[in-house]
Amino acid sequence: MRSLVTVLSLAALLAAGAPASAKGDGTSSPPAAAPTASAPPAAAPMASAPASPQDPAAARWCAPELASLPGEVCAFLPAREAPGPRVLVIFLHGVVHPDSGWQWAQQRGAARAGARHGAAVIMPRGRRGIGPKTMEDWWCWPTASAAQTAHEDALLAEWDAARAELERRAGARFERVLVFGFSNGAYYATSLAMRGRLPVDGYAAFAGGSGARYLQRAGAQTKLRAPVFVGWGGKDPAHKDQVALAKMLRRLKWPSRSLGKPRAGHAMTDEQVDEAFAFLTGRRGGDKAPGRGRGARTR
């Protein structure tokens, strides 16, 4: 089983021919989009190499081996479900340069995590035109309040429709729904959690999310407090945001758990994924993978 280190590294982004931001968000107002790391960890081993920007297949959002649902939502169903309540993970990607094909690496990592833990996964797509200046036209999530006003209702409707369609195909309802976010997706997942925006059973933020004041204010007023898992790598330049998030959750007495990996970079490790599933579902599982618990190594 390949490592589940799921990375959208700056090396990959720069290979796509676009600049990247190195500044983390520590402000007291909503960021335009989540920051990315400035040190390039190596991408995890993939089932196949991502398409190049010149490859026509790169324009296809879903990796070829995944099912495609309406609204450009990708889906994975495990060959063997874990015992107990049926689990659906909504995986929110990091920033993706258009037509680069780099979203496939994240999708494949999310599918491997689903396979390890016997959970179904849907992988929706963000929106273009809402990112920071250097990534304005990239696929991102609406972390700023103005972008949420413009796009959030439509996004959540897409997720609901995708869930309903996957339940139809699977022939049964999902009894637990979790939101996993990576990088920019983790910042957005944190926002959704603090605002109590979704009736889900838990959130996991990997290599993203912050303890900004506006999030603390929102969280203090939220009655729907789904548990939150926070994972970060000590070699990720933006990891102080996630440390601040973990502290904020403790101050709010929010149900939460965190796991930092000192040797990991901008990634989500096997151990962090396992701990997230264990905390949010109350059960442990997953096949052991080589290099478990280690972050990506610099290439």
Side-chain angles (χ1 to χ4, degrees), residues 217-237:
R217 288 195 296 269
Q221 299 172 14
T222 298
K223 294 181 180 179
L224 186 62
R225 292 191 162 197
V228 177
F229 176 88
V230 184
W232 70 89
K235 293 184 179 180
D236 183 348

Side-chain angles (χ1 to χ4, degrees), residues 16 18 73 83 116 158 180 261 267 281:
V73 177
R116 275 172 53 79
E158 287 177 2
F180 280 23
K261 302 300 294 180
T281 67

Side-chain angles (χ1 to χ4, degrees), residues 192-256:
L192 291 169
M194 294 299 99
R195 291 181 288 131
R197 190 67 174 85
L198 287 174
V200 297
D201 299 287
Y203 293 85
F206 302 98
S210 78
R213 293 175 188 171
Y214 74 94
L215 290 172
Q216 180 165 321
R217 288 195 296 269
Q221 299 172 14
T222 298
K223 294 181 180 179
L224 186 62
R225 292 191 162 197
V228 177
F229 176 88
V230 184
W232 70 89
K235 293 184 179 180
D236 183 348
H239 77 275
K240 290 182 180 179
D241 279 358
Q242 289 82 69
V243 173
L245 171 58
K247 290 180 179 177
M248 180 193 75
L249 292 168
R250 289 196 293 271
R251 285 196 302 272
L252 291 172
K253 295 182 169 46
W254 197 290
S256 63

Side-chain angles (χ1 to χ4, degrees), residues 58 82-83 112 134 146 161 169 191 193 204 245:
R112 289 197 295 271
T134 57
R169 296 186 186 187
S191 174
L245 171 58

Side-chain angles (χ1 to χ4, degrees), residues 81 85-87 163-164 167-168 170-177:
E81 293 183 346
R86 301 180 73 247
V87 176
R163 173 185 175 178
E167 287 177 336
R168 186 190 68 79
R173 288 184 57 80
F174 296 109
E175 298 158 288
R176 286 190 178 176
V177 179

Side-chain angles (χ1 to χ4, degrees):
M1 177 69 70
R2 292 182 175 88
S3 169
L4 291 180
V5 178
T6 307
V7 178
L8 179 60
S9 69
L10 285 203
L13 299 181
L14 294 173
S21 169
K23 184 178 180 181
D25 174 64
T27 62
S28 59
S29 58
T36 56
S38 59
M46 290 177 277
S48 60
S52 71
Q54 292 76 33
D55 188 339
R60 180 175 54 212
W61 181 254
C62 297
E65 67 273 20
L66 298 175
S68 184
L69 304 177
E72 292 294 340
V73 177
C74 315
F76 167 82
L77 285 171
R80 183 177 60 185
E81 293 183 346
R86 301 180 73 247
V87 176
L88 173 68
V89 174
I90 303 173
F91 176 77
L92 307 182
H93 60 78
V95 291
V96 174
H97 187 278
D99 301 334
S100 67
W102 282 109
Q103 74 276 12
W104 292 359
Q106 298 180 67
Q107 293 166 7
R108 286 165 173 155
R112 289 197 295 271
R116 275 172 53 79
H117 291 273
V121 187
I122 60 172
M123 309 157 205
R125 184 173 68 177
R127 293 289 189 267
R128 293 173 66 176
I130 60 174
K133 290 181 180 178
T134 57
M135 307 179 199
E136 189 172 3
D137 200 40
W138 294 26
W139 294 105
C140 298
W141 297 104
T143 54
S145 57
Q148 288 164 5
T149 299
H151 299 287
E152 189 163 84
D153 286 347
L155 281 169
L156 301 189
E158 287 177 2
W159 303 359
D160 283 343
R163 173 185 175 178
E165 173 60 18
L166 195 59
E167 287 177 336
R168 186 190 68 79
R169 296 186 186 187
R173 288 184 57 80
F174 296 109
E175 298 158 288
R176 286 190 178 176
V177 179
L178 310 175
V179 177
F180 280 23
F182 171 66
S183 192
N184 176 249
Y187 282 86
Y188 186 45
T190 302
S191 174
L192 291 169
M194 294 299 99
R195 291 181 288 131
R197 190 67 174 85
L198 287 174
V200 297
D201 299 287
Y203 293 85
F206 302 98
S210 78
R213 293 175 188 171
Y214 74 94
L215 290 172
Q216 180 165 321
R217 288 195 296 269
Q221 299 172 14
T222 298
K223 294 181 180 179
L224 186 62
R225 292 191 162 197
V228 177
F229 176 88
V230 184
W232 70 89
K235 293 184 179 180
D236 183 348
H239 77 275
K240 290 182 180 179
D241 279 358
Q242 289 82 69
V243 173
L245 171 58
K247 290 180 179 177
M248 180 193 75
L249 292 168
R250 289 196 293 271
R251 285 196 302 272
L252 291 172
K253 295 182 169 46
W254 197 290
S256 63
R257 186 170 297 174
S258 61
L259 180 60
K261 302 300 294 180
R263 297 169 61 185
H266 195 63
M268 49 195 285
T269 70
D270 293 321
E271 187 174 356
Q272 288 170 335
V273 170
D274 290 350
E275 287 296 322
F277 270 103
F279 174 57
L280 299 175
T281 67
R283 68 191 186 210
R284 290 187 176 272
D287 301 324
K288 255 188 175 178
R292 184 174 176 214
R294 295 185 180 183
R297 290 173 290 180
T298 303
R299 88 176 145 186

